[in-house]
Amino acid sequence: MSSFARLLAHTLVGTLAMASLASCTPPAVRATATVRWYAGRTLPAFDPDGPPDALRVALERHLSRGLVERDSGGVVAPGIADSIGCSADSLLWTFRLTAGLRFTDGSPVTSDHVRDALLGGLAREDHATRAWLLSAVRGVSQVRAGRALPALGIEAIDPRRLQLRLAMPDHRLLEKLAVPGVSTPWKKRTGEWISAVGVGPYRMLAGIDERSFKLVATDPVAGVEPALDSLRVTFGSGSPRGRTVLRRDLADVIWPLPPGLLEQTLPEDWSVTRHRVEPARRLLLVLRADMPPLTRAGARQSLAHALNREELLSALGTRGTPIRRWLPGTSRDFDWPRLETPLERAERLASEASTKPERRATESRSPAGLRAGEARSLADRGARRESWHLVLAYDADLAAAQVAPVLQGQWEKAGHYVDLRALRGRAAMAEPLRAAAAPAQLVECQAPFEGAEAELAQLVMPLRGPAVGGVRTGWRTRDFDRWLTATGATSGLEPDAAQAVLEADRIVLPIAGLPWQLAIRRGVVQPVVHPAFGPDWTVPGSRRRSARTR
């Protein structure tokens, strides 16, 4: 047995002993309270295997928990598993479920339910996030979108034990299993929210309508217990409806905040809180490299150099924070494209034209030697030559709604014609991942865990299959193959060099960081705001356990 295996065994023995002692401790007293949560968005679809969505994840985490969980400090600990074993070569992992584990309807939870969770999102045709996270598992490299699954190293060996056989060691495996949905059991993984039955710490109460439902407390599970007796959740779009909710005292907490809600003063018993987000959440402008006219690098450059970042940040107000260094580990700030003056634009166009053989005879002088009149003439001709017509899509319920009109104005000022496509609900979720979609998109993006490889995986398309994460950039390159296997093999990755490639291609531009921002009425039970997953009305349970990763 290796030293790591011995240490893991000792850790687990000690953990179980501490859990046994803790089981004799009286449970924490839960507040007798009901909180009314108004979510300023259309109700997302129930889809535990779907692309990342902050509101859906926050809802699902109240209804079910996974094999392992990441706490608010970023530490991965056992969730519904009471023991974790690892072989000496780190290629065989064994998870044992807590004895007597049951769904909130009283039916037993078995390792088959967890296996179904691991398999659930592997062959999806809209996104490949699950396949990327589990890429170290034997057979996952052979998974193809929309096809039957090959033989995989995921096996339920008895009702309480699940084994994962890896093709290569992955020192971040437990972090990936802690990503919401990856190892989270549900009695049924499809359907509507009314039929969503998980393992707690809350359960869905029957009788919901299309825009609201109620969660009621259940027993402690996965090291947490409910902080409330019940949680009433209502959904709606737009700041007028949000202000009506405030005026009529119909909510205690508002999150996500409808765009424009904070432009007016809140009632005196309300306040706005801001919380850090880790991994960082960002508002990105995606200029899709696979959709005309943005397949042309010149078109992307022209659009990028027409942007005024300070004006975009100002439109966000308190919802956004400036982004300096983008990729984790970089030593310098991201080189945002500089806003061009008309003269600079004319000089750039002349420089580009002078490199073409058919233009060299007529444009022999250097752009730096242009007289003012000639520059203005070239600027006029260049504006016509670089006048692009495109569609900009965005989720009308998110921060992008405050930026899109300003972005449209900046581009139109530079001579480009932009149609805005405001979407909501399921249409807004599907648009960034469609193969044929709007060429320009404003999206909110957050990596599943910390690290440059996780950030890059969301931006670079796999050589085959759908995108990883919630947005399709159309950018396929072999530059980062070595680090996009999601096995933690980051040796040799130079974040500064990777960021330089992002700067040069102008496919994705980071507009602003997005903190978690909530409006809360004075005197109510406030949620714990998890840095990765947002508001959470649970508290630590009587059992506190730890896990070790390799």
Side-chain angles (χ1 to χ4, degrees):
M1 179 182 292
S2 69
S3 59
F4 169 72
R6 288 194 299 271
L7 181 57
L8 180 60
H10 294 160
T11 300
L12 293 173
V13 169
T15 298
L16 294 176
M18 292 178 65
S20 299
L21 292 174
S23 64
C24 301
T25 305
V29 177
R30 185 175 70 245
T32 302
T34 295
V35 166
R36 299 168 298 170
W37 171 11
Y38 178 77
R41 280 190 63 194
T42 304
L43 173 65
F46 172 68
D47 187 3
D49 304 316
D53 179 77
L55 178 56
R56 193 196 74 235
V57 165
L59 294 170
E60 289 174 351
R61 293 186 76 249
H62 284 84
L63 296 171
S64 199
R65 295 295 171 111
L67 274 180
V68 292
E69 290 286 333
R70 180 168 55 188
D71 66 18
S72 58
V75 177
V76 176
I80 62 173
D82 70 359
S83 70
I84 304 171
C86 177
S87 62
D89 58 5
S90 300
L91 295 180
L92 179 63
W93 289 77
T94 304
F95 301 86
R96 189 181 70 176
L97 301 184
T98 301
L101 189 65
R102 293 185 176 276
F103 288 113
T104 53
D105 67 353
S107 57
V109 179
T110 69
S111 57
D112 287 331
H113 293 106
V114 180
R115 181 196 59 194
D116 291 344
L118 294 166
L119 300 179
L122 284 179
R124 287 186 63 125
E125 298 184 75
D126 56 345
H127 75 112
T129 311
R130 187 71 49 79
W132 181 78
L133 290 169
L134 300 180
S135 60
V137 175
R138 186 178 299 176
V140 170
S141 62
Q142 303 303 315
V143 170
R144 298 293 178 265
R147 298 184 183 179
L149 293 175
L152 298 171
I154 303 174
E155 182 182 4
I157 58 178
D158 64 38
R160 286 187 62 194
R161 289 190 299 164
L162 178 87
Q163 282 190 342
L164 296 183
R165 296 182 182 273
L166 308 188
M168 64 194 79
D170 184 357
H171 79 286
R172 305 192 74 171
L173 177 66
L174 294 186
E175 290 182 76
K176 291 150 191 173
L177 294 178
V179 173
V182 174
S183 64
T184 308
W186 297 88
K187 193 165 185 179
K188 293 195 306 181
R189 304 189 70 80
T190 58
E192 301 298 327
W193 285 101
I194 187 62
S195 59
V197 178
V199 295
Y202 290 87
R203 65 178 177 87
M204 186 73 68
L205 187 68
I208 65 172
D209 57 34
E210 293 182 353
R211 292 191 299 185
S212 66
F213 53 71
K214 189 175 184 180
L215 310 182
V216 295
T218 61
D219 296 328
V221 67
V224 297
E225 58 186 49
L228 305 169
D229 284 337
S230 62
L231 182 62
R232 177 82 182 192
V233 192
T234 306
F235 304 86
S237 296
S239 58
R241 181 171 295 172
R243 293 190 187 103
T244 299
V245 168
L246 288 171
R247 186 173 61 254
R248 297 183 179 178
D249 192 24
L250 300 177
D252 302 310
V253 174
I254 300 180
W255 180 85
L257 297 179
L261 181 69
L262 301 183
E263 292 178 359
Q264 297 182 10
T265 304
L266 298 181
E268 62 179 12
D269 59 339
W270 282 77
S271 62
V272 176
T273 63
R274 287 161 56 96
H275 308 266
R276 64 186 176 93
V277 181
E278 293 179 0
R281 186 172 186 85
R282 303 180 180 91
L283 177 63
L284 304 180
L285 171 62
V286 178
L287 304 176
R288 284 187 47 166
D290 59 347
M291 291 295 297
L294 303 183
T295 53
R296 301 177 59 177
R300 299 195 301 271
Q301 291 288 354
S302 179
L303 292 168
H305 284 291
L307 299 178
N308 183 330
R309 181 168 59 170
E310 286 70 25
E311 189 176 356
L312 299 178
L313 277 169
S314 177
L316 281 172
T318 61
R319 294 184 70 128
T321 58
I323 293 176
R324 303 304 179 196
R325 298 177 183 179
W326 184 0
L327 293 183
T330 55
S331 61
R332 61 178 182 80
D333 292 348
F334 178 80
D335 182 22
W336 180 269
R338 191 165 61 87
L339 180 64
E340 289 182 327
T341 65
L343 179 59
E344 289 171 336
R345 184 169 184 242
E347 291 177 347
R348 176 175 59 82
L349 296 178
S351 177
E352 293 172 357
S354 67
T355 62
K356 301 178 181 180
E358 65 272 17
R359 302 281 183 125
R360 286 175 183 164
T362 58
E363 296 180 15
S364 58
R365 280 186 293 175
S366 166
L370 290 173
R371 293 194 297 271
E374 293 173 308
R376 284 192 294 271
S377 177
L378 277 171
D380 293 339
R381 296 201 301 272
R384 290 191 294 272
R385 184 167 63 251
E386 282 204 340
S387 180
W388 305 108
H389 188 178
L390 68 155
V391 175
L392 174 67
Y394 61 95
D395 191 323
D397 290 331
L398 297 180
Q402 297 179 220
V403 173
V406 179
L407 191 58
Q408 180 190 42
Q410 291 180 0
W411 277 342
E412 290 186 346
K413 186 177 180 181
H416 308 300
Y417 299 90
V418 182
D419 295 326
L420 298 184
R421 180 181 296 171
L423 302 170
R424 285 188 167 90
R426 300 185 185 188
M429 175 65 70
E431 179 72 9
L433 288 168
R434 291 199 301 119
Q441 308 218 11
L442 283 169
V443 297
E444 293 189 6
C445 194
Q446 183 182 13
F449 52 86
E450 292 281 358
E453 73 275 18
E455 297 282 355
L456 286 173
Q458 300 180 105
L459 309 178
V460 180
M461 293 286 294
L463 294 181
R464 63 173 67 89
V468 172
V471 59
R472 179 188 179 103
T473 65
W475 186 30
R476 299 186 190 269
T477 175
R478 302 299 299 266
D479 292 347
F480 308 112
D481 284 2
R482 179 179 176 185
W483 303 286
L484 297 186
T485 58
T487 58
T490 57
S491 177
L493 175 62
E494 297 181 1
D496 285 326
Q499 185 168 278
V501 176
L502 294 171
E503 295 165 348
D505 285 359
R506 303 301 188 202
I507 294 172
V508 183
L509 294 170
I511 294 178
L514 300 173
W516 299 127
Q517 195 171 39
L518 298 78
I520 301 178
R521 188 169 61 85
R522 186 184 305 128
V524 304
V525 178
Q526 298 193 15
V528 173
V529 180
H530 194 293
F533 310 126
D536 183 351
W537 277 273
T538 64
V539 294
S542 57
R543 289 195 302 168
R544 298 293 295 169
R545 297 176 291 175
S546 62
R548 180 178 177 83
T549 66
R550 182 178 180 180

